[in-house]
Amino acid sequence: MTASPARAQRFREFKMPDVGEGLTEAEILKWYVQPGDTVADGQVVCEVETAKAAVELPIPYDGVVHELNFGEGVTVDVGTVIISVDTDPGAGPAAAPAADAPQEAAPAAEEDTEPQGRQAVLVGYGAAPSSTKRRARKQPAVPAQPEAAGAALQAELNGRATPAPMVTPVPVPAAPPAPAAPAAGAVTAGRPLAKPPVRKLAKDLGIDLATIAPTGPDGIITREDVHAAAAPAAAASVAAAPGPVAVAPAAVPVAGGERRVPVKGVRKATAQAMVASAFTAPHVTEFITVDVTRTMKLVQELKQDPDMAGLRVNPLLLVAKAFLVALRRHPEVNAAWDEANQEIVYKDDVNLGIAAATPRGLIVPNIKDAGSKTLPELAAELGDLVATARDGKTSPAAMSGGTVTITNVGVFGVDTGTPILNPGESAILAFGAVKLQPWVHKGKVKARQVTTLALSFDHRLIDGELGSKLLADIAAVLERPKRLITWG
């Protein structure tokens, strides 16, 4: 239904924007406002988590919060209204635009018009408008064919509107009263109607759509319907709660001391990326054990250096610098595989990724053009990157465009591992724990500080010789850190 212009102008709706290129959904982590709160243009009203990062969303209106359409923990599709604001609260009480508002007679308004192109919002862009124009529904003169109507509606949900089939009218006896639209909660016969993301969610959770009672308009199954079917106990408590705000599905308890938690946000993106990388790029992993006693001494000396005052100096800093020096000696490693064009793309800048474990999962922000940084500049960038990641404030831009990565598994006491490439990158270096071990030094067995490095690389881009030379050079720098000067 269409609200009057005055009503629509008073109650402004804010939709979930695309806060990163190509993202389709985001989870509402926290609301900073509640209905009745006064908000100003540019004020942050909520924090959402996409597949890449947590982002704060500002509201582009002045007024009073009228309604929050979703609760915390709910995943919302881009382009869905999440909050409405009363921009003229002094005008007195009035109902916000709603789907069940009476439609004013307007014979000429046969079609809803939509603005062309994506509309800019304060964060990212809104959802791309559909190319499908929907006419107002009219009562058919003859009984509609349920299968054809259902297929047409499902085509609209899939974003592929098809022309209505030509139906030749035939004489029929007096038509019985038209059947009412399916009531919310009624299970309809035939193929269930649902959007593609909802169908995927049901498949992932092992739910048969035919067994779900739809609550959406026109008998459409919603995401909440699927979660309710997966968690009957949680759904019952949600149904009893007052108010229209959707509530996030809880973990589903099952017999045998297990629990099931929906995979979403950073964890979901990480899983998809690792599967794509592991089964797309042919991985090769090589290992080397190296005496890093001199490097560890240099770390202690740098901590006392006035030029490094206020900066975080640790072994990872020198491992990163050694990696960059080795890449300068073997620039062909800094490349990417373009499957679509069957080309190898050689990169001039090294965007060095640092794998960071956060409460929301693993993320890999990167330092842009890290090869051009001095040691103090690299230390400052590393400190900022880690702090931002742990606070959950890493931007999507900081996690895009990486070329190689370092993962520091040594902080967990692990000797090494076989790291999986970050999609689109050519190599990843695992830095293991530094331990005091017996080592032959100048012809005698002595206690030395030793670590193991593991380098995984894309064998489409890097053959065994090149990968071995790169890893050997990294180890050589760490064994004798003066090579940072002679090779750098």
Side-chain angles (χ1 to χ4, degrees):
M1 300 294 182
T2 304
S4 66
R7 185 186 302 272
Q9 186 174 6
R10 175 178 173 181
F11 290 93
R12 305 300 297 272
E13 297 177 331
F14 180 64
K15 300 179 180 180
M16 178 69 75
D18 178 2
V19 296
E21 291 301 322
L23 297 178
T24 59
E25 62 183 17
E27 177 188 352
I28 298 175
L29 294 180
K30 184 177 182 180
W31 281 107
Y32 297 118
V33 296
Q34 295 297 325
D37 291 351
T38 301
V39 293
D41 186 356
Q43 177 181 337
V44 173
V45 295
C46 70
E47 182 182 23
V48 301
E49 182 184 46
T50 69
K52 294 185 177 181
V55 180
E56 292 182 332
L57 298 183
I59 194 78
Y61 314 121
D62 294 324
V64 173
V65 177
H66 179 77
E67 183 180 13
L68 305 181
N69 292 30
F70 298 93
E72 295 177 355
V74 177
T75 300
V76 182
D77 292 336
V78 167
T80 303
V81 176
I82 60 175
I83 182 175
S84 60
V85 175
D86 185 351
T87 60
D88 188 14
D100 56 353
Q103 182 178 10
E104 299 178 3
E110 288 284 336
E111 297 183 356
D112 294 332
T113 59
E114 298 181 357
Q116 299 297 320
R118 301 179 74 182
Q119 303 301 305
V121 293
L122 289 183
V123 180
Y125 293 85
S130 170
S131 60
T132 305
K133 295 183 179 180
R134 302 178 181 175
R135 291 185 175 273
R137 299 182 182 274
K138 296 183 179 179
Q139 185 67 30
V142 295
Q145 298 180 6
E147 295 82 0
L153 182 53
Q154 184 61 53
E156 277 194 10
L157 293 176
N158 292 342
R160 304 187 300 272
T162 55
M166 296 295 293
V167 179
T168 304
V170 295
V172 294
V187 179
T188 57
R191 186 169 186 259
L193 301 177
K195 294 181 179 180
V198 177
R199 291 185 177 277
K200 184 178 185 304
L201 174 64
K203 180 179 179 181
D204 293 342
L205 295 178
I207 303 298
D208 184 359
L209 288 176
T211 65
I212 298 178
T215 62
D218 300 315
I220 297 173
I221 297 173
T222 66
R223 183 185 295 271
E224 287 70 28
D225 295 336
V226 176
H227 282 305
S237 62
V238 171
V245 177
V247 179
V252 183
V254 297
E258 298 179 356
R259 62 190 180 96
R260 292 177 178 267
V261 179
V263 179
K264 54 188 176 181
V266 174
R267 177 65 61 188
K268 179 178 180 180
T270 301
Q272 292 173 341
M274 292 300 96
V275 170
S277 176
F279 293 98
T280 301
H283 285 54
V284 172
T285 305
E286 295 185 339
F287 307 89
I288 191 168
T289 303
V290 58
D291 177 3
V292 293
T293 304
R294 293 186 179 92
T295 291
M296 298 305 290
K297 289 180 179 178
L298 179 57
V299 169
Q300 298 304 317
E301 293 172 3
L302 288 173
K303 288 182 178 180
Q304 308 302 322
D305 193 313
D307 291 335
M308 304 296 288
L311 299 174
R312 185 177 182 181
V313 179
N314 55 23
L316 178 61
L317 172 62
L318 294 187
V319 171
K321 193 65 176 177
F323 197 4
L324 294 169
V325 169
L327 285 168
R328 188 178 297 120
R329 290 166 59 85
H330 306 285
E332 58 270 35
V333 170
N334 197 47
W337 183 271
D338 186 343
E339 181 67 28
N341 296 315
Q342 288 295 293
E343 295 175 342
I344 297 176
V345 182
Y346 292 99
K347 308 291 184 71
D348 294 330
D349 296 338
V350 178
N351 295 337
L352 178 62
I354 304 295
T358 73
R360 297 190 181 102
L362 177 69
I363 63 173
V364 189
N366 61 77
I367 300 172
K368 309 298 183 187
D369 194 14
S372 67
K373 311 285 184 190
T374 64
L375 193 63
E377 290 172 342
L378 188 62
E381 293 267 8
L382 271 173
D384 291 343
L385 179 148
V386 172
T388 303
R390 287 178 178 171
D391 291 341
K393 303 299 182 183
T394 303
S395 67
M399 291 185 286
S400 62
T403 57
V404 295
T405 289
I406 297 176
T407 176
N408 185 9
V409 297
V411 296
F412 307 109
V414 175
D415 290 335
T416 191
T418 54
I420 298 177
L421 292 167
N422 203 29
E425 299 184 5
S426 61
I428 179 170
L429 178 71
F431 174 35
V434 178
K435 297 180 178 179
L436 201 62
Q437 295 183 13
W439 193 265
V440 178
H441 177 67
K442 295 182 179 179
K444 297 181 180 180
V445 177
K446 297 182 179 180
R448 304 286 288 180
Q449 291 178 295
V450 177
T451 190
T452 300
L453 305 174
L455 180 72
S456 293
F457 51 87
D458 187 341
H459 214 349
R460 297 173 300 180
L461 299 166
I462 304 169
D463 57 25
E465 179 186 8
L466 179 58
S468 299
K469 287 181 177 179
L470 177 69
L471 182 58
D473 280 357
I474 297 171
V477 173
L478 294 175
E479 184 177 14
R480 295 182 179 274
K482 68 179 182 181
R483 292 189 172 110
L484 290 172
I485 300 173
T486 58
W487 288 1

